[in-house]
Amino acid sequence: MTRGQKILWWLLLAFGTLLAITAGTALWAYQKLNGNIRTDHAAAEALDRDAAGRPAAEPGEGRNILVIGHDRGSGTGNARSDTVLLLHLSGDGRRADAVHVPRDIVVDIPACRTAGGERSEAARDQFNWAFQHGGAACTILTFERLSGIRVDHHLVLGFDGFADVVDAVGGVEVELAEDERDPNVGHDLSAGRHLLDGERALAYARARVHVGDGSDLNRLQRQQHLLGLLHERITAQGTVTEPAQLYPLLKAVTSAITADPGLDSLDELHGLVKDVRAVPDGGVTFRTVPTVPHPTRPDRLALDAAPAGRLFAALRQDRALPHPA
């Protein structure tokens, strides 16, 4: 488990919701934070309408939660998922598996119901485009067809909320070895140390094409590094113990969350976090869906069928994940 994976796991799946529960006990604050969380009724309704084409739930008490990070302002003008993680909690409570789904895998995206009530056309394209076709429901249906795994719940985390979190803690400091500039996302920093506000931190996180090797993996590593710096700033400031500092942070975090009707409250999110934290040491595993370079599409990926099939089968059957090749 790399440091970056630990940080991504903590921030995306536990950090915000745990803080929300440990905030002050004032009823008004609880109700305000609880009301910030949006319910994804549209996705729930779309999934109900497409229920016949979804995988059957496997027997047992294992749960699958799809965590979708999306970015509506990436410079493309399109709302596409930026990060997708499957969180699988075993039925016996002794394992938690976090599986990253690379955004650039070329997959079959089904015809999905759009916000206007119509259907998009089925397409073969990169995985993160599914969100643009039909929101969280289309991302879920695409993942289910790819893996055969039934998704029980989902959380959508908005990237715009990340900027608010950075501002709530007074910015985050980065140090660059050389000048960086990506005009596609408004990223322009000279070499040296910089204290970034939310807007500039978001541009740093979005930068890809003109930074480093231009790959999605490079951007993911930059995002993990930035999340690590943000985590260090929050814990160093003692934000979690100071209500005056904590409330703005919690407001930003909860305002960034959209959840299905089974996870759309602080109590339900707290239950999820408790279950994750109750997993014994050594029971948390991290994987990435196995891929290979796509044979005909430059800078895109194809599913590595055999190892991916073994990974998906273990998740469906609530078994320990196979060791990566």
Side-chain angles (χ1 to χ4, degrees), residues 31-282:
Q31 291 175 334
K32 177 66 176 178
L33 294 171
N34 198 64
N36 287 342
I37 301 169
R38 292 177 293 275
T39 304
D40 198 349
H41 294 294
E45 292 169 2
L47 292 172
D48 283 344
R49 286 193 292 265
D50 286 317
R54 301 182 63 193
E58 295 290 336
E61 298 182 1
R63 287 171 289 164
N64 297 306
I65 299 98
L66 203 66
V67 182
I68 304 168
H70 81 92
D71 187 1
R72 295 186 181 276
S74 62
T76 65
N78 297 314
R80 297 172 183 167
S81 59
D82 192 81
T83 299
V84 174
L85 287 172
L86 178 73
L87 168 62
H88 174 80
L89 297 176
S90 67
D92 62 9
R94 299 189 62 80
R95 298 191 319 278
D97 304 314
V99 180
H100 173 238
V101 187
R103 48 174 277 154
D104 287 344
I105 301 178
V106 176
V107 298
D108 290 318
I109 300 175
C112 296
R113 297 184 186 275
T114 66
E118 301 178 351
R119 275 197 176 270
S120 63
E121 293 186 6
R124 184 157 180 81
D125 227 315
Q126 62 190 64
F127 178 73
N128 70 316
W129 285 33
F131 195 90
Q132 179 183 341
H133 284 218
C138 197
T139 297
I140 291 168
L141 293 173
T142 301
F143 174 77
E144 289 183 338
R145 294 196 179 192
L146 177 71
S147 65
I149 297 168
R150 172 81 174 212
V151 173
D152 302 306
H153 297 288
H154 71 275
L155 293 171
V156 180
L157 307 177
F159 250 44
D160 288 344
F162 170 76
D164 294 334
V165 171
V166 172
D167 285 334
V169 298
V172 63
E173 194 172 73
V174 300
E175 185 168 5
L176 304 180
E178 57 186 22
D179 296 350
E180 290 188 354
R181 184 173 184 270
D182 187 343
N184 291 339
V185 297
H187 175 61
D188 189 356
L189 293 175
S190 60
R193 190 175 294 271
H194 299 269
L195 180 63
L196 306 182
D197 61 11
E199 182 179 356
R200 293 203 298 168
L202 192 55
Y204 178 96
R206 288 169 171 161
R208 172 183 176 179
V209 175
H210 300 282
V211 176
D213 62 8
S215 69
D216 188 52
L217 176 60
N218 176 65
R219 180 169 63 169
L220 178 61
Q221 291 171 338
R222 288 167 58 84
Q223 291 175 356
Q224 290 176 341
H225 174 65
L226 188 62
L227 289 172
L229 294 173
L230 177 59
H231 176 261
E232 290 172 2
R233 186 167 180 84
I234 291 169
T235 54
Q237 287 181 336
T239 303
V240 296
T241 60
E242 295 292 337
Q245 294 180 322
L246 181 58
Y247 184 78
L249 175 61
L250 298 180
K251 181 180 178 182
V253 171
T254 53
S255 296
I257 296 174
T258 302
D260 72 80
L263 285 178
D264 60 346
S265 72
L266 292 181
D267 287 342
E268 288 163 333
L269 289 171
H270 181 226
L272 173 62
V273 172
K274 283 179 62 179
D275 291 342
V276 171
R277 291 172 62 83
V279 173
D281 291 343

